[in-house]
């Protein structure tokens, strides 16, 4: 085989094909055809020394953990270094043509007047052999079930308003990353922003990853288990931003609250109904003629004073900003952008698509100058007193249909990107522009929520799953969809509670709110023309059950906040499949409808109409959160009346809570702890809820065992501190004063 090694880069060439390999770590390998700059990986890593054995018709590269064999036909197989078992294996590498129909079918189609090629050519096709009992996870925001095996998905950010059913191939986001789990666990990340197709084994034998125009460029990520692989993937593309505390509060939205009175009415009704609320969203109608960075001077006149009023009621405001800039003479965004050539071009002219304001042009966020310009307007908007920005329609979506392939976007360093390369990272860069501006302006954790994304967008933004429908099918879809997004790095995620399209109904809204209460972001949103979806617009029972579950969420705030804080370090998503904690329990491999929130809570939401009991799989011994009933390992049927979210706590753990309030508070002086079982240990973080400095907090460990309760400060650097701790242990309540030093109490 013809290969060379230069500066620790192994390059193999044969006819017109070149494949390079860089060993970045003992379990992180980069394979690529051409060296290029990643749009998402920001850290450069040094190539490690390559250990190689030349075996004649193939070569073996080895690290302390894996053996990599590359054959003459460029196929790559990776084996576990110790057991010598297959981790992931190519069938054949150089195979860029695919037969889609037979010659007979082609002739028939031609007879009917269609012209059809019976082969499609891709820029690469990778065939990976499916191993025995292999399951696939990840792939970001996709429909279907938790285990992605046997489905095909397309990475091409798409705004298709039809219902997201399980064989829907593309949603709004692209994350060309999957995790394979059989006896060994690994991840493959294809850092290809062009359209890619991930056929996860429709032929039952191979997964086929197909590039349409991009060059082959992928990372093999090895790991002991899924948690480990996810951690390494996140280390590569970036961890989810740490939320401010208020971002874990309840949020209400609608397309649209048409004027200030409607917004105020919602906030007042929430207040009267005694339902917690922290954020209200302003959808497109707050703007003047849908022109971004403006507001309607009649319906939302003196917006800053109005925002102040809402803030004084404990509610923050987050407006929507779409990328499409209205084509209108003398409109500052249009004029400034045109003057400087900031919009996407078709040939020499600025491309005009159509979004809410009518004819619209699309900023080239792929360029730094454009991002800074946009960011300047973001800062001006922040000055109105808003608390974050909602970025939508940024696939980008246009009513004139997909943006033409021929469009060009200004890139960085004098480069130009064609639409096919820029499309999947459009929202990624829009999020970056927004995030960077808010960060610079406020010096606090920015709240950005985006609809479209690429792998790694979580370092700039949170996200939601777009336009779902008010149907039970979509409530069921929500669980595996959010779980796989979590495994793909996106852990601050939401679904529109109650469903976006179509009229919701009482029972569906209640069950969705129960699930929403234990989801990472909790936001009720619905489309124009649908019935009101705020809880109090139903009946007393709905209001009361909604209240109960939002209060449950607010009481669990210290626990949820700790989960997001811990993710910054351990890289485990707060909402996580059972599989993460129980990787050897085969029952957990295909669980679609229950999950864990953090290390100790098991959530089993009811997702079917009329259901008042639920079959729950317990991977260990758990206690009912409310009744303390004990469940041992196995499948059990639990009671789930309409007003109850089935929620369980792992034995021998501690759950921290706050006295529930209707708005997230600036500071809390009391923390309550409940011990489930005979002992427990729990470390909590306490800070002001918004500081960027993740060491400016108190880190306190609480430990209970054999009737001894100890409090150990691992750090004491917050501005305010807990003063009191309430402890519930073996059905007895205790109260202790905290004095900021390590203390031990006998119970
Ligand atoms: C898109 C968004 C939806 C929003 C609507 C109007 O459909 O997904 O959330 O309400 O646009 O802005």
């Amino acid at each position: 085989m013809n290969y060379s090694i230069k500066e620790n880069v192994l390059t193999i060439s044969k006819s017109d094909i070149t494949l390079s390999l860089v060993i970045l770590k003992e379990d992180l390998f980069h394979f690529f055809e051409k060296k290029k700059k990643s749009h998402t990986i920001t850290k450069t890593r040094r190539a490690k020394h390559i250990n190689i054995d030349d075996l004649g018709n193939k070569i073996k590269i080895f690290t302390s953990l894996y053996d990599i064999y590359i054959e003459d036909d460029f196929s790559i197989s990776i084996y576990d270094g110790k057991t010598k078992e297959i981790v992931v294996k190519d069938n054949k590498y150089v195979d860029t043509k695919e037969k889609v129909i037979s010659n007979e079918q082609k002739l028939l189609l031609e007879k009917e007047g269609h012209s059809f090629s019976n082969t499609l050519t891709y820029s690469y096709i990778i065939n990976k052999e499916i191993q025995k009992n292999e399951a696939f996870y990840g792939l970001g925001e996709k429909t279907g079930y938790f285990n992605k095996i046997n489905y095909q998905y397309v990475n091409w950010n798409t705004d298709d308003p039809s219902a997201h059913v399980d064989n829907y191939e593309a949603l709004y986001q692209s994350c060309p990353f999957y995790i394979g789990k059989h006896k060994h666990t690994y991840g493959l990340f294809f850092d290809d922003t062009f359209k890619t197709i991930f056929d996860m084994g429709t032929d039952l034998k191979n997964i086929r990853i197909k590039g349409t125009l991009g060059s082959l460029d992928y990372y093999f990520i090895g790991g002991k288990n899924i948690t480990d692989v996810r951690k390494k993937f996140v280390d590569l593309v970036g961890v989810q931003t740490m939320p401010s505390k208020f971002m874990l509060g309840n949020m209400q939205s609608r397309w649209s609250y048409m004027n200030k009175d409607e917004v105020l009415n919602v906030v007042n009704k929430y207040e009267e109904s005694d339902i917690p609320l922290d954020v209200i969203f302003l959808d497109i109608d707050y703007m003047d003629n849908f022109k971004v960075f403006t507001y309607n001077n009649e319906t939302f006149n003196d917006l800053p004073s109005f925002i102040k009023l809402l803030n004084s009621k404990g509610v923050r405001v987050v407006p929507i900003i779409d990328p499409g800039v209205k084509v209108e003479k003398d409109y500052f965004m249009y004029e400034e952008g045109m003057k400087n050539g900031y919009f996407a071009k078709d040939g020499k002219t600025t491309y005009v698509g159509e979004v809410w304001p009518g004819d619209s042009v699309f900023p080239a966020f792929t360029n730094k100058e454009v991002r800074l310009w946009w960011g300047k307007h973001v800062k001006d908007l922040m000055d109105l007193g808003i608390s974050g920005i909602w970025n939508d329609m940024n696939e980008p979506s246009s009513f004139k249909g997909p943006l033409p392939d021929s469009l060009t976007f200004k890139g960085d360093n004098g480069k130009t990107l064609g639409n096919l390369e820029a499309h999947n990272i459009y929202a990624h860069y829009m999020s970056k522009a927004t995030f960077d501006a808010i960060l610079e302006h406020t010096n606090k954790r920015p709240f950005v929520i985006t609809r479209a994304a690429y792998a790694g967008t979580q370092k700039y933004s949170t996200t939601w799953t777009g336009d779902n429908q008010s149907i039970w099918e979509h409530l069921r879809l929500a669980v595996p969809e959010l779980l796989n997004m979590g495994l793909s790095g996106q852990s601050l995620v939401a679904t529109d509670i109650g469903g976006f399209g179509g009229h919701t109904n009482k029972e569906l809204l209640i069950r969705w709110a129960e699930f929403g209460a234990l989801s990472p972001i909790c936001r009720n949103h619905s489309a124009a023309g649908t019935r009101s979806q705020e809880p109090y617009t139903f009946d007393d029972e709905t209001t009361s059950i909604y209240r109960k579950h939002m209060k449950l969420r607010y009481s669990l705030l210290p626990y949820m906040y700790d989960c997001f804080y811990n993710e910054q370090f351990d890289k485990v998503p707060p909402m996580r499949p059972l599989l993460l904690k129980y990787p050897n329990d085969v029952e957990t491999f295909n669980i679609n409808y229950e999950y864990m929130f953090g290390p100790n809570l098991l959530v089993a939401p009811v997702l079917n109409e009329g259901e008042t009991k639920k079959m729950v799989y317990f991977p260990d011994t758990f206690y009912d959160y409310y009744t303390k009933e004990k469940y041992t390992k196995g499948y059990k049927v639990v009671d789930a009346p309409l007003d109850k979210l089935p929620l369980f706590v792992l034995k021998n753990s501690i759950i921290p809570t706050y006295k529930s309030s209707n708005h997230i508070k600036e500071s809390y002086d009391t923390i309550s702890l409940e011990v489930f079982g005979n002992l427990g240990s729990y470390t909590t973080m306490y800070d002001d809820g918004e500081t960027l400095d993740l060491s400016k907090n108190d880190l306190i460990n609480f430990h209970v065992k054999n009737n001894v309760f100890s409090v150990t400060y691992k750090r004491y650097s917050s501005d305010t501190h807990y003063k009191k701790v309430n402890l519930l242990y073996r059905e007895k309540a205790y109260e202790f004063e905290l004095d900021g030093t390590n203390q031990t109490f006998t119970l």
Side-chain angles (χ1 to χ4, degrees):
M1 269 176 75
N2 187 7
Y3 69 86
S4 64
I5 299 177
K6 217 172 127 197
E7 289 171 0
N8 290 342
V9 180
L10 168 77
T11 304
I12 308 161
S13 312
K14 190 174 150 187
S15 27
D16 58 346
I17 299 172
T18 305
L19 177 74
S20 297
L21 164 63
V22 170
I23 306 287
L24 295 167
K25 284 181 169 184
E26 300 296 291
D27 50 11
L28 182 65
F29 315 142
H30 186 193
F31 298 94
F32 56 93
E33 273 175 88
K34 286 185 216 150
K35 208 170 161 48
K36 62 172 205 238
K37 198 171 175 310
S38 171
H39 291 283
T40 194
I41 300 174
T42 46
K43 221 174 10 187
T44 40
R45 290 181 167 78
R46 239 199 286 142
K48 294 184 80 144
H49 174 74
I50 301 224
N51 300 311
I52 190 162
D53 277 349
D54 191 340
L55 306 174
N57 58 350
K58 59 180 165 193
I59 50 174
K60 175 184 168 188
I61 298 106
F62 56 95
T63 71
S64 59
L65 298 169
Y66 294 96
D67 296 341
I68 309 164
Y69 290 91
I70 304 181
E71 315 231 356
D72 209 20
D73 66 357
F74 286 87
S75 59
I76 300 164
S77 307
I78 301 179
Y79 291 80
D80 182 84
K82 267 201 202 96
T83 62
K84 307 294 174 198
E85 290 161 338
I86 295 176
V87 177
V88 60
K89 184 177 189 313
D90 272 353
N91 268 344
K92 193 164 182 280
Y93 165 61
V94 198
D95 174 9
T96 52
K97 285 198 177 22
E98 186 176 62
K99 220 178 174 98
V100 280
I101 49 170
S102 66
N103 282 334
E104 293 74 32
Q105 283 170 316
K106 177 173 148 64
L107 289 174
L108 276 177
L109 281 165
E110 278 170 357
K111 266 197 184 154
E112 212 200 345
H114 305 279
S115 104
F116 212 96
S117 160
N118 58 352
T119 52
L120 287 175
T121 304
Y122 293 92
S123 50
Y124 56 85
I125 300 182
I126 297 288
N127 275 316
K128 300 279 178 201
E129 217 179 74
I130 297 177
Q131 303 304 313
K132 191 166 170 242
N133 297 329
E134 186 161 4
F136 300 115
Y137 308 104
L139 285 166
E141 177 202 61
K142 291 284 182 272
T143 59
Y145 296 90
F146 177 46
N147 180 353
K148 296 290 172 215
I149 195 157
N150 300 153
Y151 280 80
Q152 173 169 294
Y153 298 97
V154 173
N155 289 309
W156 184 252
N157 294 359
T158 304
D159 173 22
D160 176 348
S162 51
H164 308 160
V165 289
D166 27 292
N167 63 353
Y168 212 78
E169 295 190 337
L171 282 173
Y172 310 90
Q173 312 192 350
S174 294
C175 182
F177 164 70
Y178 80 88
I179 300 173
K181 174 179 165 56
H182 48 98
K183 195 168 173 204
H184 297 277
T185 308
Y186 66 96
L188 294 185
F189 170 46
F190 287 74
D191 194 5
D192 181 357
T193 72
F194 289 89
K195 182 194 276 184
T196 51
I197 296 150
F198 277 56
D199 173 344
M200 305 310 287
T202 53
D203 72 352
L204 311 187
K205 292 193 189 88
N206 299 286
I207 59 170
R208 287 165 77 74
I209 293 151
K210 304 175 219 174
T212 52
L213 268 176
S215 61
L216 183 75
D217 188 328
Y218 75 96
Y219 294 81
F220 166 88
I221 305 167
K224 291 192 286 292
N225 49 40
I226 295 192
T227 308
D228 203 23
V229 171
R230 197 261 187 194
K231 178 178 187 307
K232 286 168 190 158
F233 173 61
V234 161
D235 284 341
L236 202 61
V237 298
V239 67
Q240 177 74 61
T241 50
M242 172 75 193
S244 292
K245 247 182 227 172
F246 82 83
M247 287 158 63
L248 300 182
N250 181 33
M251 307 185 180
Q252 180 66 52
S253 182
R254 177 167 184 84
W255 174 18
S256 294
Y257 298 123
M258 298 302 289
N259 52 50
K260 291 198 293 190
D261 286 347
E262 285 191 15
V263 177
L264 189 59
N265 182 48
V266 174
V267 172
N268 287 340
K269 281 275 165 39
Y270 255 96
E271 206 172 281
E272 284 161 27
S273 314
D274 183 26
I275 304 176
L277 181 69
D278 266 275
V279 178
I280 192 152
F281 284 75
L282 300 182
D283 207 326
I284 48 175
D285 294 283
Y286 80 91
M287 288 182 263
D288 169 21
N289 276 312
F290 307 123
K291 286 185 277 185
V292 288
F293 300 111
T294 70
Y295 60 89
N296 187 314
N297 260 320
E298 280 164 27
T299 49
F300 283 88
N301 70 314
D302 195 8
L303 189 55
S305 307
F306 183 59
I307 293 173
K308 258 199 201 116
L309 170 74
L310 298 178
N311 288 171
S312 72
K313 289 170 159 290
V315 178
R316 295 163 185 265
V317 178
V318 174
I320 199 166
I321 288 286
D322 294 340
V325 167
K326 185 173 172 60
V327 174
E328 186 182 274
K329 202 170 169 311
D330 296 336
Y331 164 39
F332 61 95
M333 291 303 291
Y334 178 68
E335 294 290 350
E336 288 171 18
M338 284 301 281
K339 194 174 97 209
N340 294 301
Y342 286 162
F343 301 119
K345 293 219 157 50
D346 199 358
K348 287 213 160 62
T349 53
T350 297
Y351 172 74
V352 180
E354 189 188 338
V355 209
W356 310 118
D359 281 353
S360 305
V361 286
F362 299 89
F365 295 110
T366 36
N367 174 263
K368 189 168 179 194
E369 196 183 319
V370 176
R371 290 196 292 274
L372 289 174
W373 164 66
W374 191 264
K376 179 186 153 298
H377 292 288
V378 165
K379 290 176 188 170
D380 291 347
L381 199 66
M382 292 302 291
D383 282 339
L384 301 183
I386 57 168
S387 296
I389 287 186
W390 171 19
N391 284 333
D392 186 29
M393 305 294 277
N394 50 2
E395 292 69 34
S397 178
S398 165
F399 305 155
K400 287 189 181 159
L403 270 54
D405 295 354
S406 54
L407 291 204
T408 53
F409 295 78
K410 222 187 207 186
D412 285 334
N413 306 322
K415 289 212 177 87
T416 300
L417 284 84
N419 185 38
L420 294 174
E421 182 177 7
H423 177 82
N424 281 344
I425 42 169
Y426 190 78
H428 181 79
Y429 280 118
M430 183 187 191
S431 305
K432 177 171 167 50
T434 311
F435 175 88
D436 287 349
I438 301 181
L439 180 66
E440 205 182 292
H441 200 55
T442 63
N443 212 24
K444 289 179 188 150
R445 300 169 201 157
F447 179 28
V448 185
I449 179 162
T450 179
R451 189 170 72 177
Y454 180 67
T457 303
Q458 66 269 8
K459 55 188 172 282
Y460 311 125
S461 183
T462 72
T463 186
W464 91 107
T465 58
D467 298 347
N468 57 11
Q469 304 273 323
S470 298
I471 54 175
W472 288 91
E473 192 58 49
H474 279 182
L475 173 57
R476 285 190 289 274
L477 162 67
V479 184
E481 191 179 17
L482 297 195
L483 287 175
N484 276 311
M485 289 170 86
L487 291 181
S488 310
Q490 298 170 290
S491 51
L492 258 171
V493 286
T495 61
D496 286 348
I497 291 177
F500 176 76
H503 305 303
T504 200
N505 64 64
K506 171 180 166 178
E507 187 179 344
L508 179 60
L509 178 73
I510 290 176
R511 290 306 195 185
W512 213 314
E514 291 175 1
F515 162 66
L518 262 293
S519 296
I521 288 183
C522 179
R523 184 182 84 144
N524 177 328
H525 181 54
S526 57
T530 63
R531 68 146 293 160
S532 298
Q533 209 162 275
E534 298 77 16
Y536 53 79
T537 63
F538 291 76
D539 59 5
D540 288 349
E541 190 183 23
T542 312
T543 305
S544 140
I545 301 175
Y546 213 99
R547 175 193 306 127
K548 176 175 161 186
H549 288 89
M550 291 308 122
K551 294 218 181 229
L552 168 71
R553 180 176 178 93
Y554 278 57
S555 69
L556 286 168
L557 177 67
Y559 179 78
M560 289 190 151
Y561 191 57
D562 282 336
C563 291
F564 284 100
Y565 173 70
N566 291 335
E567 188 195 1
Q568 300 298 310
F569 307 95
D570 65 16
K571 314 286 161 67
V572 185
M575 177 176 171
R576 56 186 77 163
L578 274 57
L579 177 60
L580 289 202
K581 194 165 182 125
Y582 304 95
N584 300 321
D585 180 345
V586 290
E587 293 300 331
T588 66
F589 295 6
N590 290 291
I591 290 191
N592 291 293
Y593 303 132
E594 52 181 274
Y595 57 96
M596 295 196 69
F597 203 105
N600 303 327
L601 286 181
L602 190 151
V603 192
V606 171
L607 309 168
N608 292 298
E609 188 170 44
E611 206 169 83
T612 51
K613 300 213 177 286
K614 171 143 177 158
M615 166 96 91
V616 179
Y617 178 67
F618 293 98
D620 201 335
T621 299
F622 281 79
Y623 295 94
D624 183 297
Y625 182 68
Y626 321 94
T627 65
K628 325 297 171 206
E629 190 177 337
K630 189 172 173 177
Y631 292 95
T632 51
K633 186 171 156 71
Y635 285 95
K636 306 280 152 65
V637 174
V638 305
D639 278 337
L642 185 60
D643 67 346
K644 182 178 176 187
L645 165 71
L647 183 63
F648 307 91
V649 186
L650 181 63
K651 68 153 195 262
N652 294 339
S653 57
I654 296 177
I655 300 295
T657 53
Y658 288 147
K659 188 164 174 290
S660 182
S661 53
N662 282 350
H663 308 287
I664 306 271
K665 296 200 287 190
E666 268 170 25
S667 66
Y668 292 82
D669 56 18
T670 305
I671 185 164
S672 302
L673 308 172
E674 183 166 356
V675 185
F676 290 81
N678 290 321
L679 55 127
S681 177
Y682 184 85
T683 300
T684 195
M685 182 278 258
Y686 180 73
D687 68 0
D688 66 3
E690 57 184 16
T691 175
L692 291 172
D693 182 353
L694 290 188
S695 63
K696 194 157 172 31
N697 50 40
D698 294 351
L699 266 187
I700 318 167
N701 177 262
F702 299 112
H703 189 270
V704 180
K705 198 177 171 185
N706 299 334
N707 290 321
V708 176
F709 172 51
S710 57
V711 180
T712 313
Y713 283 83
K714 297 184 171 176
R715 187 159 56 216
Y716 191 74
S717 56
S718 180
D719 287 335
T720 60
H721 312 278
Y722 288 132
K723 298 195 175 68
K724 243 172 58 188
V725 56
N726 295 326
L727 178 70
L728 193 61
Y729 178 53
R730 291 179 168 154
E731 288 165 27
K732 265 173 86 180
Y734 304 85
E735 213 181 286
F736 302 105
E737 304 282 322
L738 295 175
D739 63 9
T741 65
N742 296 343
Q743 290 162 285
T744 302
F745 306 96
T746 307
L747 305 173

